[in-house]
Amino acid sequence: MKNGLKKEDSGLIYGIAILLMIYHHLFAIPEKLGNADYFSILNTLLPPDTEQRLSWLFRLCVAFYAFVSGYGISTIVSKNSYEKRCSFSFIPTNYILACKQIFKLFKKYWLVFIIFLPIGVCFLDYSLIGPKTFIRSLFGLANDYNAEWWYIKQQMMMLLLFPLFDFLLCNIASLVNNCILKKYKYGKFIVLSIILFIGVFFVLFRNTPFFNHLILQLDNGIFVFTLIFFEGFLCSFFHLFEIGCNHNLFQKIKPVLAFLMLFSCCTIRYLRAYDATYCKYDAFITVPILYSLVTLFSYAPKAVVNFLRYLGKYSTYMWLTHTFFCYYYFSELITSVRVSIFMFLLTVALSLITAIILTELENALTKLFQKIIQTTKRTTT
């Protein structure tokens, strides 16, 4: 990570995230599997609620997706100079980028939508809810057909907010640099003092209505994951992942520090979680957890890392389809194996196979549309 998170690291994180997500959706809420009876090795060797509580911890998968999205969009836009990004006229350019990213997601979403919805309606008695809901679902504004598609709307919102955030951040950074860092000898000390003052302010006024309202928002997934998206953006903007990577002392103890950070953050999250939607501490622990995971996996066998990156390549389609297997269409098939680890592996396998097929279909359709467009252009000229 000397040069920050690379594309391979993002693929690794997506691969980890999709495994956590499938585990989370399988075991976090037993009612969604019809309270199916199955054997769990974890619940046999450890307290009987271990598997469920572990699945609550694995809701961190959503935070992983949000962080990498923010980091990635910041990396793309960083190819432009700060001077350009400080200009109000550059905001439309960023909105074009945001719309391209949204369309990239919707190409996959619509393909899953037009294939899986008719299958349910025609063969599995999956009822339509009405034209208004259908249109809203088609554009990601509702998730009545698949509750786990709620993140489509979340992703759209975060991407549409990023151009304004980038504009404000670049202007603030430019202001601080020109008015404090360059102007004063002890500019860095002044900036740190301001940050410390803000921290002290929040501590002193922690019992005010504003602060209490802010704390309540940490239970709100929409707020938390948006915050984590912008944490990813900030980590890329300020190159925070690179800090300490070139220090000789840090290099020697890096794996130990990474393990301790990962263990402590996950332990706190595991012990504090009280239901499947818990995300109160995710905004504080996502960055150290991801930094630790990428660091530790740099020492892992290549085969393991390559497999996770392979899953990461197909993670979007796996996310969009896996609950059709474990909840909506084929839950009886998943629960029929009666052992939790096999249920998990079967869901991963079915989702991966489906994702590979859908990716090939998407590529074929893309090539077909490109040929049609080229043929149309030749005809008109």
Side-chain angles (χ1 to χ4, degrees):
M1 284 190 294
K2 290 181 180 179
N3 300 313
L5 282 181
K6 300 184 288 295
K7 189 175 180 180
E8 295 80 7
D9 298 321
S10 297
L12 172 71
I13 293 170
Y14 280 139
I16 296 169
I18 193 59
L19 292 178
L20 300 188
M21 182 184 290
I22 292 174
Y23 194 96
H24 169 74
H25 284 146
L26 275 171
F27 307 117
I29 306 174
E31 293 79 12
K32 289 205 169 188
L33 289 178
N35 288 306
D37 186 29
Y38 59 85
F39 174 75
S40 167
I41 298 171
L42 284 177
N43 289 349
T44 303
L45 300 175
L46 300 168
D49 63 345
T50 300
E51 191 142 56
Q52 185 179 37
R53 296 199 63 179
L54 193 63
S55 69
W56 293 350
L57 166 66
F58 287 171
R59 201 196 184 214
L60 280 166
C61 60
V62 184
F64 291 2
Y65 274 101
F67 180 91
V68 174
S69 296
Y71 195 100
I73 201 76
S74 179
T75 303
I76 293 170
V77 80
S78 68
K79 295 173 184 176
N80 301 284
S81 66
Y82 287 137
E83 289 74 19
K84 267 189 179 181
R85 292 159 67 185
C86 285
S87 170
F88 191 79
S89 61
F90 192 74
I91 293 178
T93 304
N94 271 348
Y95 268 111
I96 291 170
L97 173 61
C99 289
K100 284 181 179 178
Q101 294 298 311
I102 291 170
F103 181 68
K104 189 177 176 182
L105 171 62
F106 266 83
K107 280 200 302 182
K108 299 181 186 298
Y109 172 63
W110 283 332
L111 187 57
V112 173
F113 192 93
I114 63 175
I115 291 175
F116 275 80
L117 194 60
I119 289 174
V121 172
C122 296
F123 302 107
L124 299 165
D125 196 29
Y126 198 68
S127 60
L128 289 169
I129 303 172
K132 185 178 177 181
T133 302
F134 179 84
I135 296 298
R136 291 181 73 241
S137 298
L138 187 64
F139 291 99
L141 301 175
N143 58 325
D144 298 77
Y145 298 121
N146 188 320
E148 288 64 44
W149 284 351
W150 65 270
Y151 190 74
I152 295 282
K153 187 176 179 180
Q154 173 80 25
Q155 182 76 351
M156 281 196 297
M157 182 189 71
M158 294 187 302
L159 287 171
L160 291 174
L161 284 173
F162 116 77
L164 298 176
F165 182 78
D166 182 62
F167 173 74
L168 290 172
L169 183 62
C170 286
N171 278 280
I172 291 170
S174 178
L175 184 68
V176 170
N177 187 50
N178 293 329
C179 297
I180 300 177
L181 295 179
K182 286 184 178 179
K183 196 171 182 180
Y184 298 100
K185 185 178 180 181
Y186 299 103
K188 289 183 179 179
F189 177 75
I190 294 171
V191 173
L192 287 172
S193 298
I194 293 170
I195 295 171
L196 182 62
F197 173 79
I198 294 170
V200 171
F201 175 84
F202 275 106
V203 171
L204 292 176
F205 294 92
R206 63 185 180 277
N207 293 321
T208 60
F210 169 76
F211 191 80
N212 289 333
H213 178 72
L214 191 63
I215 291 298
L216 286 174
Q217 294 310 304
L218 293 176
D219 283 324
N220 181 339
I222 294 172
F223 175 80
V224 169
F225 299 129
T226 303
L227 187 61
I228 293 168
F229 173 86
F230 289 124
E231 284 178 3
F233 195 97
L234 287 168
C235 281
S236 174
F237 188 91
F238 291 111
H239 308 288
L240 298 181
F241 266 45
E242 294 94 310
I243 292 176
C245 281
N246 295 321
H247 198 289
N248 291 331
L249 175 63
F250 187 77
Q251 287 292 338
K252 291 175 184 177
I253 62 173
K254 187 163 68 168
V256 177
L257 286 177
F259 175 78
L260 290 175
M261 275 199 299
L262 180 64
F263 180 78
S264 57
C265 289
C266 289
T267 300
I268 292 168
R269 178 63 163 73
Y270 178 88
L271 294 174
R272 298 293 296 178
Y274 48 78
D275 65 19
T277 62
Y278 182 88
C279 59
K280 194 165 190 173
Y281 289 91
D282 291 6
F284 304 104
I285 64 175
T286 298
V287 175
I289 285 177
L290 287 179
Y291 189 90
S292 301
L293 284 172
V294 174
T295 299
L296 291 172
F297 272 100
S298 67
Y299 298 93
K302 264 194 174 182
V304 174
V305 174
N306 288 338
F307 174 70
L308 289 171
R309 287 174 181 164
Y310 184 76
L311 289 180
K313 179 182 174 183
Y314 298 104
S315 63
T316 302
Y317 275 128
M318 291 178 73
W319 153 48
L320 291 170
T321 60
H322 75 277
T323 47
F324 283 112
F325 294 108
C326 63
Y327 288 167
Y328 303 111
Y329 292 175
F330 309 110
S331 61
E332 289 184 5
L333 172 65
I334 300 300
T335 56
S336 67
V337 296
R338 300 296 180 190
V339 180
S340 61
I341 185 62
F342 294 142
M343 291 164 61
F344 170 70
L345 292 174
L346 179 59
T347 307
V348 170
L350 291 172
S351 304
L352 179 58
I353 292 167
T354 305
I356 293 169
I357 294 170
L358 289 171
T359 300
E360 292 300 318
L361 181 58
E362 180 192 348
N363 293 337
L365 288 171
T366 301
K367 288 178 183 177
L368 177 63
F369 283 126
Q370 286 174 346
K371 281 185 180 178
I372 292 171
I373 292 168
Q374 288 173 359
T375 304
T376 306
K377 283 182 179 178
R378 287 171 189 166
T379 306
T380 53
T381 55

